[in-house]
Amino acid sequence: DGGITQSPKYLFRKEGQNVTLSCEQNLNHDAMYWYRQDPGQGLRLIYYSQIVNDFQKGDIAEGYSVSREKKESFPLTVTSAQKNPTAFYLCASRDPGTMAFGAGTRLSVL
Amino acid sequence: QKEVEQNSGPLSVPEGAIASLNCTYSDRGSQSFFWYRQYSGKSPELIMSIYSNGDKEDGRFTAQLNKASQYVSLLIRDSQPSDSATYLCAVTPEGATNKLIFGTGTLLAVQP
């Protein structure tokens, strides 16, 4: 089945810890995205990548980092510099038309 | 002014009625418009896209676009309780075709 796989589904972060959220797609899409969603809020863009080995900051990139070493993979690291990381994180990929989303990772702070 | 604005709701309609969801956007040069449905705790799923002025119908859903008024809407006919969800409007801004800007969503509640 073609799709976008995010893991884990739930993640807990301790104070001062970096955590990495995985995103893999087999849709052969060039563009991939990370969004953050807070309760009752819309989606805010963290980072996006249009091609391998290239990525751009979105509107709320501070405290986050990404890599794009393979077309299929776009992992997001939430660093200790992100002081309010509790949110629902959504990975997406896009062909020239539509954007499809993974199932999301819910991150909480211990 | 927010780039994409939606009334947060909740919009409550009785089962079988028409639900009308509205969205305005600030970038006059925007070219692509999308409606996503998001159930509580789940990720958004695309239900409609529209690119030119007028109406586009797909089953019980109709998207309407008016670029002069910078307005896009979604009509849901014969609303069902299973349509209860948050509906997100998304817009591709001019000069940034690789981006999608989302509104905050409208919560729709269909009453049985």
Side-chain angles (χ1 to χ4, degrees):
Chain A
D1 285 338
I4 303 168
T5 302
Q6 288 188 243
S7 63
K9 188 173 181 179
Y10 298 97
L11 186 59
F12 297 91
R13 193 191 87 166
K14 295 180 181 179
E15 190 76 28
Q17 185 183 38
N18 293 354
V19 293
T20 298
L21 285 60
S22 171
C23 178
E24 303 278 333
Q25 56 103 355
N26 60 6
L27 300 169
N28 201 35
H29 289 171
D30 287 314
M32 296 187 73
Y33 304 79
W34 275 105
Y35 286 91
R36 168 179 172 147
Q37 187 175 36
D38 294 279
Q41 302 292 315
L43 279 64
R44 293 186 290 167
L45 183 63
I46 305 173
Y47 268 98
Y48 63 102
S49 168
Q50 298 183 79
I51 56 172
V52 174
N53 292 323
D54 187 47
F55 47 83
Q56 288 80 40
K57 293 181 179 180
D59 301 318
I60 56 166
E62 185 174 352
Y64 300 97
S65 66
V66 293
S67 63
R68 186 84 187 276
E69 297 177 2
K70 299 185 301 181
K71 186 175 184 178
E72 302 79 17
S73 180
F74 192 41
L76 174 74
T77 296
V78 183
T79 74
S80 57
Q82 173 48 248
K83 298 305 180 187
N84 184 23
T86 297
F88 188 41
Y89 290 85
L90 289 159
C91 178
S93 70
R94 189 177 186 188
D95 67 14
T98 60
M99 180 176 284
F101 288 88
T105 294
R106 199 165 295 276
L107 175 62
S108 301
V109 176
L110 288 176
Chain B
Q1 182 188 10
K2 292 182 181 178
E3 292 180 86
V4 179
E5 292 204 55
Q6 298 180 254
N7 188 316
S8 61
L11 173 66
S12 183
V13 300
E15 184 174 357
I18 296 175
S20 178
L21 303 159
N22 304 315
C23 173
T24 58
Y25 58 94
S26 60
D27 184 346
R28 183 171 289 278
S30 298
Q31 296 296 319
S32 306
F33 307 87
F34 306 89
W35 283 100
Y36 285 81
R37 178 177 62 201
Q38 186 176 26
Y39 291 112
S40 181
K42 303 296 184 182
S43 61
E45 54 180 325
L46 181 69
I47 52 174
M48 290 286 289
S49 59
I50 187 166
Y51 304 98
S52 55
N53 278 330
D55 295 358
K56 179 182 177 182
E57 186 174 319
D58 183 0
R60 295 187 297 112
F61 299 97
T62 298
Q64 299 175 317
L65 175 61
N66 184 326
K67 289 186 177 181
S69 300
Q70 295 174 236
Y71 177 94
V72 58
S73 65
L74 180 70
L75 301 178
I76 306 174
R77 289 182 298 281
D78 188 24
S79 295
Q80 301 297 310
S82 59
D83 295 325
S84 298
T86 296
Y87 289 81
L88 299 167
C89 173
V91 174
T92 296
E94 184 178 25
T97 56
N98 54 323
K99 284 189 176 183
L100 210 55
I101 309 299
F102 286 83
T104 55
T106 297
L107 177 62
L108 173 66
V110 181
Q111 307 298 328

